[in-house]
Amino acid sequence: YCDLVLGAAAGYAEELLPGLCILATAREGLGVGTVYPVSPLAPPDAVALFAAWAGAQHGGQEPEISAEIREICVRLDGLPLALELAAAHTKVLTPAQILSRLDDSMRLLTGGRRVADPRHRSLRAALDWGAGILTDPERLLLARLSVFAGAFTLDAAEWVCAGPGLPEEDVLEALAGLVARSFVDCDPRGRQASYRLLHTVRQYATQLLTADADETALIQQNRVDFAIARPEALSVPDLIDAVRWCTGRGAPADALRLATAAAPFWLLAGRFREGAALLADVIARAEPAGRDPAARAEASLARGMFDLVLGQADRAASAVTAAVTTVAAAAVTTVAATAVTAVVAEAAGPWAEILTGLAALPADPASAARRIAAAASALDSASPWTPVATALHALAAAEAGWAAEAQE
């Protein structure tokens, strides 16, 4: 390991190259020669390693490969040390029992070989040692990044993780350091690079973050604010997690706004039942506290979209009606009824037409397609719902036999 003497090791290697071949391992590249990143093991190799280590606990008799063993290897990210520590527990636990305890892998993955380096006798010791060579901004960012349940972009990290001790302009440098030291994975493909924490690293970082309740609340709220402002820039797991966090802390208004903003992306991802169930739960929880008729109208329309794609046309029509009537009635004590009706009607109008057109599609495809096209053109082009409306227009045009219009 060169991590603690990185500068000296790099200088020494540069003096010896190119006349000598040197193999040096470190969490961070030396900056000389050729760097070969060591990735986690692929699933088949991870399973084989787990089976071999488990067999060593039972006189060389390897266990039968089961779905539980495969899931253990996935949950442990194919990390050899984690697999070794988990396999050691097969002396007293079945694979199913080990799997059930991986939500607290820091506690479970201990008891390494006595001859092993102290930092390799538990997963926490290994991660503590690695975190010990991070700078203060890197360590702070690592903890805050644990709020992300899925992949994230630099924009998301800067919005969500900037705060006391870490200005927004310093996030990039700290993130680059975490990538260089193998705490964060970077995927540079696509228009923007994306980043993620391995499951085991995220568990460790979560414990760092949750040690400070105020810090946790700040970063969680930052993620909610980012998700409401830019739902398209977060992963679906993060959108779901943020909604549930709002619900759990008694913030039904934020949960309603966030679930509604995320609805187009659940629809486009094909996660209809999951999105419908989550939105229905949020709407139900917001009932007693509803104070924003426009938000309630949009949520009802979103629920109608889910009902429609799930083949429940009657419930979809009821959702549109709810946007115009039930929401207005719920808010009448704080807003004049005429004003509420106007706000709701403005939000509901195009989508009411689209839903009505889709309901009529089987009986009169041509008329329905024209109605949907007119309504879709009335939507704001910047709205995240517009791609959904465009896709529905294409669907209706195809059903009407208008191939060219559907293709366009």
Side-chain angles (χ1 to χ4, degrees), residues 328-351:
V332 74
T333 57
T334 55
V335 185
T338 53
V340 171
T341 302
V343 170
V344 172
E346 183 179 355
W351 280 106

Side-chain angles (χ1 to χ4, degrees), residues 13-247:
E14 191 169 37
E15 288 182 9
L16 296 177
L17 292 174
L20 188 67
C21 290
I22 302 172
L23 177 63
T25 63
R27 295 191 69 94
E28 183 178 358
L30 297 183
V32 298
T34 303
V35 177
Y36 296 95
V38 180
S39 300
L41 295 176
D45 297 328
V47 169
L49 181 61
F50 180 91
W53 278 115
Q57 314 301 319
H58 301 278
Q61 182 66 40
E62 294 188 2
E64 181 179 347
I65 304 303
S66 62
E68 289 81 6
I69 288 178
R70 292 189 179 92
E71 182 62 19
I72 288 170
C73 296
V74 169
R75 292 276 299 277
L76 294 179
D77 306 303
L79 297 176
L81 175 61
L83 295 171
E84 175 189 342
L85 294 171
H89 285 288
T90 59
K91 291 182 294 186
V92 293
L93 298 173
T94 67
Q97 289 175 303
I98 293 173
L99 180 60
S100 70
R101 293 168 180 264
L102 286 185
D103 284 340
D104 190 3
S105 61
M106 296 301 113
R107 181 184 296 274
L108 177 69
L109 300 182
T110 60
R113 291 170 294 159
R114 292 187 179 90
V115 296
D117 187 288
R119 65 176 178 265
H120 290 161
R121 292 177 188 169
S122 73
L123 187 59
R124 172 175 284 282
L127 290 168
D128 279 340
W129 183 86
I133 62 175
L134 298 177
T135 65
D136 288 342
E138 289 167 352
R139 196 175 300 107
L140 185 57
L141 180 60
L142 176 63
R144 292 177 178 179
L145 288 175
S146 69
V147 76
F148 290 110
F152 56 90
T153 62
L154 174 60
D155 288 349
E158 289 176 329
W159 181 311
V160 174
C161 299
L166 185 64
E168 182 178 334
E169 59 269 22
D170 292 348
V171 170
L172 174 57
E173 182 180 353
L175 180 59
L178 291 175
V179 171
R181 293 174 176 80
S182 307
F183 275 96
V184 174
D185 276 356
C186 174
D187 183 352
R189 297 171 296 180
R191 296 181 64 182
Q192 289 193 73
S194 65
Y195 309 88
R196 75 180 184 98
L197 300 181
L198 297 179
H199 295 302
T200 46
V201 174
R202 186 181 180 222
Q203 284 190 12
Y204 175 78
T206 297
Q207 292 184 3
L208 298 180
L209 179 65
T210 54
D212 185 332
D214 292 338
E215 173 88 348
T216 302
L218 170 67
I219 301 306
Q220 288 279 13
Q221 187 59 52
N222 285 352
R223 182 179 60 167
V224 170
D225 295 340
F226 182 74
I228 291 172
R230 297 187 49 197
E232 77 287 354
L234 275 184
S235 68
V236 171
D238 270 299
L239 292 170
I240 295 172
D241 200 42
V243 170
R244 289 176 175 158
W245 185 79
C246 290
T247 302

Side-chain angles (χ1 to χ4, degrees), residues 258-285:
L258 179 52
T260 303
F265 307 101
W266 276 315
L267 283 165
L268 291 173
R271 301 176 73 155
F272 305 140
R273 296 189 184 281
E274 184 177 21
L278 190 62
L279 190 58
D281 180 61
V282 169
I283 290 173
R285 291 174 183 271

